[in-house]
Amino acid sequence: MANTETALKEATAIDGAIGAALVDYTSGMALGTIGGSKELDLNVAAAGNTDVVRAKVRAMEMLGLSDEIEDILITLGGQYHLIRLLKGRGTNGLFLYLALDKERANLAMARHQLKRIESELEV
């Protein structure tokens, strides 16, 4: 089982990774971050993506969908932003956030690797 620091290091080892965070979407606070840049403040991204997760959860409730969100993808001109909601024991209300450089990343492989990281994460 991986701890938060190990999981975030593994996430930033994914090809094209710019930065990663483990976020509590009940508070909007990042529990841990790694990477980022002058243009990508991971704490601001954590708070902003919390709103995205909350909106999607609310929309699903209004639609009466009983399914679970695996991940949410936001595609920008030069980046992918991947939000993976955690489902393991003790991880309710948490998500992994990964920002990727679109030119260097393989989106399918990044999703696969983030899923593996989630399965090994123990918070």
Side-chain angles (χ1 to χ4, degrees), residues 3 40 43 46 61 63 65 75 77 86-87 92 118:
N3 65 18
L40 181 63
N43 289 303
E61 287 171 356
L63 291 168
L65 299 176
T75 305
L86 304 185
K87 295 173 185 62
N92 192 29
E118 174 205 1

Side-chain angles (χ1 to χ4, degrees), residues 35-101:
S37 66
K38 184 175 67 168
E39 297 82 25
L40 181 63
D41 182 324
L42 291 170
N43 289 303
V44 173
N49 285 308
T50 292
D51 292 336
V52 171
V53 171
R54 288 177 184 163
K56 187 58 188 172
V57 168
R58 224 175 13 257
M60 289 181 62
E61 287 171 356
M62 291 180 350
L63 291 168
L65 299 176
S66 60
D67 213 345
E68 293 183 340
I69 300 169
E70 280 189 30
D71 55 40
I72 298 168
L73 171 64
I74 300 167
T75 305
L76 305 176
Q79 297 176 353
Y80 294 122
H81 291 225
L82 192 54
I83 300 167
R84 178 147 189 104
L85 276 68
L86 304 185
K87 295 173 185 62
R89 194 187 83 214
T91 61
N92 192 29
L94 301 179
F95 65 85
L96 280 168
Y97 167 70
L98 178 63
L100 299 158
D101 180 311

